Amino acid sequence: MSHTLGIRQAQKQKTRQAFLDAALTLLEEQSLSSLGLREVTRAVGVAPTAFYRHFRSTADLGVALVDEALGSLHPMVRTTVATPGAERITRAVRLIADHVAAHPAHVRFIARERHGGVQPVRKAIRDQLARFAAEVKTELAKDPEAEGWNDDDLLMLAHLYVDQMLITASLFLETLENEDPESPEPSAAERERVARIATRQMRLISLGRQHWLD
């Protein structure tokens, strides 16, 4: 009996993931607010009624996509921010570049829907980013430079870093989308240029941090 339930649960999870994958593909060319339920079920190859066994609405599907896109990043971000000294920024830029290269559709979805027309999805993204900022703040508070800082200022600094990481992800995504498969060298040079700019911008935030209490 338990074996049968396990098979059913695995099949249910497989179908749910198929909905997420299909929606993510369809959202490469449109916003979530214009995505139709029948469009998604047609792509998965199931009846429209099957959708409601997994999601209440396309907005609920969008919230699940936010969790898939950002949820797994928390341990990596915490580990990166916990890195001491200048290596922290280097690792952060590398993390962003690698994530964009591996998951461009997720990055594109977040960039588009962060200010999109589906309120529950906007809130889900906002909540995830607030969680990132809180985690970054916790690590920044351990730095010797944090002595004398209050919680509000540390959180403000954390949000600056998170916002800069989002900007950097968008720049890497733009580079990826403009990439010419026939000319890899210019693309590599452009990625390197984006990495240098991102590194300098984060260092500028760090420099401002050093003089905040002056």
Side-chain angles (χ1 to χ4, degrees):
M1 183 68 175
S2 60
H3 178 66
T4 302
L5 288 174
I7 293 175
R8 288 177 180 173
Q9 186 62 33
Q11 184 58 48
K12 183 178 180 181
Q13 182 59 38
K14 183 178 178 181
T15 304
R16 185 180 190 276
Q17 188 60 50
F19 278 122
L20 292 170
D21 293 343
L24 196 61
T25 299
L26 292 167
L27 289 169
E28 290 189 19
E29 303 297 334
Q30 61 182 309
S31 65
L32 183 64
S33 59
S34 65
L35 183 67
L37 183 153
R38 289 182 180 276
E39 192 178 2
V40 179
T41 55
R42 190 183 307 117
V44 176
V46 297
T49 52
F51 179 89
Y52 294 106
R53 299 191 193 113
H54 303 274
F55 305 101
R56 296 185 299 273
S57 62
T58 53
D60 189 36
L61 172 65
V63 170
L65 279 173
V66 172
D67 184 61
E68 183 178 72
L70 297 177
S72 64
L73 280 174
H74 289 280
M76 289 183 285
V77 169
R78 285 196 299 268
T79 300
T80 299
V81 180
T83 305
E87 180 64 17
R88 171 185 288 164
I89 293 175
T90 302
R91 288 190 62 177
V93 173
R94 189 183 308 129
L95 168 66
I96 298 165
D98 291 347
H99 184 72
V100 172
H103 307 284
H106 281 116
V107 176
R108 187 181 302 108
F109 168 73
I110 295 298
R112 178 181 289 147
E113 299 301 330
R114 185 184 179 191
H115 303 292
V118 182
Q119 193 276 335
V121 174
R122 290 200 312 273
K123 182 180 183 303
I125 294 172
R126 188 167 62 248
D127 290 347
Q128 286 280 0
L129 296 181
R131 182 180 162 194
F132 279 124
E135 291 166 349
V136 171
K137 169 184 170 288
T138 297
E139 296 303 326
L140 293 177
K142 299 175 184 177
D143 293 347
E145 296 91 339
E147 185 177 353
W149 283 61
N150 61 48
D151 283 349
D152 288 343
D153 285 354
L154 274 174
L155 186 58
M156 177 181 65
L157 178 64
H159 275 290
L160 286 175
Y161 278 117
V162 171
D163 287 345
Q164 188 58 50
M165 292 176 79
L166 287 172
I167 292 170
T168 300
S170 295
L171 289 173
F172 275 121
L173 180 63
E174 184 178 338
T175 299
L176 189 65
E177 291 176 337
N178 293 334
E179 192 171 79
D180 182 356
E182 303 298 325
S183 305
E185 288 186 13
S187 300
E190 182 62 16
R191 286 194 296 273
E192 181 59 32
R193 185 186 71 84
V194 169
R196 284 198 307 270
I197 292 173
T199 300
R200 293 181 69 188
Q201 289 172 332
M202 288 193 191
R203 284 176 178 167
L204 185 59
I205 294 173
S206 297
L207 183 62
R209 175 190 187 184
Q210 295 172 21
H211 299 283
W212 178 247
L213 300 179
D214 290 353

